[in-house]
Amino acid sequence: MMKANSSWFWARCGLSGTLLGMLLLGLTGCGEAPPARFRLNMVEMVSSEMSRDQQIGIANVLTAAFGTPDEPFAMAEAELDLKKLKAAAGAVASDQLGNEVGLYRRHCAHCHGISGDGAGPTAAFLNPYPRDYRQGVYKFKSTERVARPTRDDLRRVLVEGVPGTAMPSFRLLPDHQLDALIEYVIYLSMRGELEQRLVAETFDLDEGERIDQLPEVAEITKEVVAEIGEKWAQASDLVINPDADLAPPTDRSPAELAVSIAAGRELFHGERAACVKCHGTTALGDGETTDFDDWNKRLFKLSESKPDLDLAELGALPVRTIRPRNLRQGIYRGGRRPLDIYRRIHAGINGSPMPGSAKASPDAAVGLAAEEIWNLVDYVQSLPFDSLSLPPEQLVAPKRERL
Ligand code: HEC
Ligand code: HEC
């Protein structure tokens, strides 16, 4: 009786014995997770009206050039270190010698996404969003505005994190793991950059032909990857190194520092540097607050020009505006050394509306001279200690002479 009842129960539920067995096997870990996949940049694919066939073609070219999340590959032209990529790629595990692999998925993917699109499962909850690496655009670096960051710059970001954002510090990871992760970030960037180039390129296709079926596509891919690789290789030649003779001496007296701060204040509020336009006359970051960073601006423009596109459906996060920094808090995402702030003002912040302020050459008519940028560095660094920035109990009461 019992038996009949229970088989009736399973039949009602539509579960056969074998199916139940498969479920149990799955639960006990005998089943394999499906392999991780790179996701195409669907916003670009659909907004550029790539047909389904062309999307498959681009995906195939990308796989040929860069492999998969479990089996990365690097063409010689990319100048990437495959050994490092393999340590960072793949599922979280240890190899026979106990070396950890799958570092990117362990530490980064839940924010930055398997494809480096900045849209991992945690991303929607963060402001600012994690970086989308696929454009090769980075903010906090030592190089000229549009240049790629150096490997050292990426290392700094990993070691220090990005203060004031969700990007944590990975200071405790051993050096070889940091190296592997840096290589992997560059790899994801290059892959994303190639994808964008393939979308933008116009190919001579016959009816029904896909780009991966073109005989010349291997050659074109090599050329584009070589160009992208070259940009990354050049980064270290484009580091902003201010002239040591023009830098303020380290043994300045308080009076000398006060003179420089006053000159910086003048520039900050003046028309030439125009910092107040965005940071506000208060320096609280309450000037221009309705602008976007490059990633969100692209989405905002698409939402205006193609209102029928469902951007969320294509994997995009909701569009967000960017706020200029509140300079009274003393939190610097790109580093707090005077040199870091110098570089931020010199080149601006790539990918954000903050413009570069330096003269293109020492005798250029427009832009700020190195001494003026140092004045601004002094002023910016004085702002958190300005009496208006302090909590009321720390305000310095003006001295009153007794009558
Ligand atoms: C909790 C979420 C989170 C995790 C985990 C995380 N990041 Fe980030 N990351 C961010 C956010 C948010 C930003 C953007 C900061 C900004 O734009 O100011 C960022 C920015 C970056 C940048 C760009 C810096 C620049 O100059 O533009 C790099 C590179 C980066 N992360 C690498 C990594 C790597 C590698 C890992 C894993 C080892 C990682 N991140 C883990 C959230 C995260
Ligand atoms: C067009 C708007 C705009 C102008 C003009 C502008 N900024 Fe910014 N600034 C921003 C934005 C936006 C950010 C935040 C960028 C980000 O984190 O992505 C920022 C960030 C900063 C930071 C923070 C850097 C860090 O590491 O966190 C400093 C310092 C700064 N600006 C100084 C200045 C100075 C000095 C000037 C004038 C020479 C200036 N800004 C002009 C928009 C502007």
Side-chain angles (χ1 to χ4, degrees), residues 107-108 110-112 126 128-131 133 138-140 154 157-158 162 165-168 170 181 185 333:
H107 296 296
C108 323
H110 71 90
C111 285
H112 290 280
L126 306 179
Y129 291 135
R131 183 74 62 255
Y133 308 133
Y138 292 84
K139 289 182 179 176
F140 306 116
L154 293 176
V157 166
L158 288 190
V162 181
T165 78
M167 169 70 196
F170 292 93
L181 286 162
V185 166
R333 293 188 188 172

Side-chain angles (χ1 to χ4, degrees), residues 42 125 191 224 314:
M42 289 312 288
F125 305 100
R191 188 184 167 281
V224 174
L314 300 175

Side-chain angles (χ1 to χ4, degrees), residues 268-287:
F268 191 88
H269 292 271
E271 286 205 346
R272 277 178 59 227
C275 315
V276 290
K277 176 172 167 268
C278 298
H279 293 279
T281 48
T282 58
L284 289 167
D286 56 0

